[in-house]
Amino acid sequence: MKDISELNIPGDIRYSDDHEWARRSSDVVRIGISDFAQDQLGDVVYVELPGVGQKFKLNEAFGNVESVKAVSEMLMPVSGEIVRVNENLKDQPELVNTSPYDGGWMIEVRESDTSQFDRLMDSKSYIEFLKQDH
Amino acid sequence: MAGKRTPLNDWHVSHGANMSEFGGYEMPLWYPAGMREEHLRVLTKCGMFDTSHMSVLRLTGEDIYQLLQWVFTKDLDRCVGKERAPLTVGRATYGVFLNEAGSLVDDVIVFQFDTNDYLAVVNAGMGSEAAHHILNYIDTCENSCRVLVQDLSDRVGKIDIQGPRSAHVMREVLSDPESVFRDMKYYSFKGSIWSDTPATGTVLLKNGIPILLSRSGYTGEFGFELFIKPEHLVEVWEMLLEAGAAYDILPCGLAARDSLRTGAVLPLSHQDNGNWRYINNPWPMALPFDTGRSCFTKDFLGKKALVSSPPSSYTYPFVGFDVRKVAFTDSPPLVVNGHGRIIGIVLTCVTDVGIGWHGDKIYSVSSPDKPAGFVPKGLSCGFIKATVPLEAGDRLILRDKKREIPVMIVNEIRPGRTSRYSIETMLSKSE
């Protein structure tokens, strides 16, 4: 298990208390799971993602990530419509472990309420949150 | 986490293990190599597990044989090998302790030091309960006081080394491997760490540390279990790691142990069997059936309940068609038949990452006849408990709160398992 000091928690993205991350570019928000989340899950063997065009509310489950041991839901850090999913995860689910913020991204959404993004934790708050809760 | 700790706890934590509570102990789930690699290493090379959380009872006394014949499901007079020979000194046998209702107290491996001296290995945290359970039936003996049941759980360390290269590694660390390996059959053991057994000190490591070495394990693969004094545990662990480096040994956690044992159709007590009658499951080898499997060869605690009324539940192994599993949340996932009727619940559902379908057959990474270029992604597998009898080949749906996963009832999950291969066979394979 990685110590909190060993976790990769980039400063340019936001985090939910369910350990999803969100990165906003010009018109979409890219979403994945944090280094902490993948470290807790262990080896990811399957990722189940939604279809493009589906709409989800804040904190609604948009997919599942499966380790050898268990199945875990992933929750929307912001509400919105799916505009793209990471097709590479079909054949390379291990990218979630090896590259949680880049190759292992899950979905891109068009936000329906842009204020939700601003309420997500920044890296400093997320690290504090991890220290308190774990 | 505030569980009990094995003497290897500091080693696990300092080597980056992901720790979790299991059976009241803080145990490693996996190390930085990850559970997939750990699982595969046991199938193809070898892995080592800290299993010091398991509980160990020493059962002695003039009447202990008689008491065991009542509380333990195996018939000690007819339990060794296909020929059903009696359990003898240096042999071990797998069975269960049942209660009067015929349901599980715990599963157990009984090792015979002598006709009035046995070791019983039960699950983590179960030592005290199993000891009390046995002592409850002390009246079964004609002279009720001539037994002694000691819970040694905190005084025994244990390491399992599992996988095709296990004997190669043990050969490097044993002081006299040739004599130790001679005639060492599956489910037999040599040596002891207790000063008052005849086998004491007969198996030594090169550094002089005594161990009890058993040709057994719980992964379905070839290997050994080592019983060690707790004060020697870390030293032996590091010795195995160092000697095993040439054979690509890897420390493995409980997650790999769980997926390996499931693929080998081995039950996890209190999950795959529990507070329901211990019958109609894939583990009849734990019951004292006669060779025709038509009746029991002895009377034993729980037997009356097992035969008293028609069966009400049936446990079966299943395998999926890809890696996908069902989620265990507040309630277990359901089992649905082809007519959409709910016929049971899921007991275990994991991924055996070493297997995959090729045509209509499952192969393992270690199958000698696997197709060229076979690289398995893994298959979901586990056990269900159904209210109706099913047959191998039956197709079912597993349903959790959100998803439905198609699976098939099978007799075997991971093919080509090596657990019963001889030491000679394994040592003769290319290194």
Side-chain angles (χ1 to χ4, degrees), chain A residues 1 43 48 66-68 73, chain B residues 16-17 36 325 351 402-403:
Chain A
M1 191 160 26
D43 290 340
E48 186 176 15
E66 291 195 25
S67 69
V68 172
E73 286 186 335
Chain B
R36 168 189 279 274
K325 294 179 290 298
T351 302
K402 299 215 164 160
R403 308 187 304 163

Side-chain angles (χ1 to χ4, degrees), chain B residues 25-206:
Chain B
Y25 284 78
E26 288 176 25
M27 296 301 291
L29 277 182
W30 58 82
Y31 299 88
M35 51 187 155
R36 168 189 279 274
E37 182 57 29
E38 292 168 17
H39 180 114
L40 293 174
R41 206 66 77 90
V42 171
L43 297 184
T44 57
K45 289 163 183 173
C46 62
M48 51 194 262
F49 301 80
D50 175 12
T51 51
S52 306
H53 59 311
M54 300 295 281
S55 294
V56 178
L57 304 179
R58 178 100 177 262
L59 313 170
T60 51
E62 283 181 52
D63 296 316
I64 195 65
Y65 172 86
Q66 199 184 335
L67 181 57
L68 268 177
Q69 279 290 61
W70 177 245
V71 299
F72 180 54
T73 52
K74 277 290 186 62
D75 185 344
L76 300 179
D77 290 331
R78 300 172 190 82
C79 64
V80 175
K82 279 184 187 152
E83 63 279 16
R84 303 288 176 93
L87 189 72
T88 49
V89 173
R91 298 305 293 260
T93 188
Y94 174 89
V96 294
F97 293 144
L98 300 178
N99 57 25
E100 279 166 27
S103 56
L104 188 90
V105 174
D106 206 5
D107 63 356
V108 54
I109 298 178
V110 168
F111 298 75
Q112 189 186 82
F113 284 129
D114 204 342
T115 48
N116 55 9
D117 191 350
Y118 299 84
L119 206 64
V121 179
V122 294
N123 282 282
M126 287 302 295
S128 170
E129 191 175 331
H132 282 102
H133 173 74
I134 295 169
L135 290 171
N136 274 340
Y137 296 95
I138 209 161
D139 297 344
T140 317
C141 301
E142 286 161 17
N143 301 296
S144 60
C145 57
R146 295 185 301 180
V147 296
L148 178 63
V149 176
Q150 295 169 274
D151 184 357
L152 304 177
S153 304
D154 295 332
R155 286 180 271 163
V156 183
K158 187 166 170 285
I159 297 170
D160 292 8
I161 173 166
Q162 302 277 288
R165 292 177 172 181
S166 301
H168 296 83
V169 179
M170 287 311 301
R171 190 169 58 183
E172 302 285 331
V173 297
L174 285 166
S175 141
D176 186 0
E178 204 176 308
S179 74
V180 172
F181 287 166
R182 194 174 303 133
D183 295 326
M184 194 175 193
K185 296 187 169 67
Y186 185 51
Y187 265 72
S188 71
F189 70 96
K190 293 186 180 182
S192 165
I193 54 172
W194 293 276
S195 57
D196 55 348
T197 60
T200 306
T202 54
V203 177
L204 298 174
L205 299 179
K206 276 181 175 164

Side-chain angles (χ1 to χ4, degrees), chain B residues 264-284:
Chain B
V265 196
L266 296 170
L268 178 61
S269 272
H270 316 292
Q271 179 169 308
D272 300 316
N273 40 44
N275 193 25
W276 61 90
R277 283 191 299 162
Y278 190 87
I279 201 146
N280 301 309
N281 63 37
W283 309 292

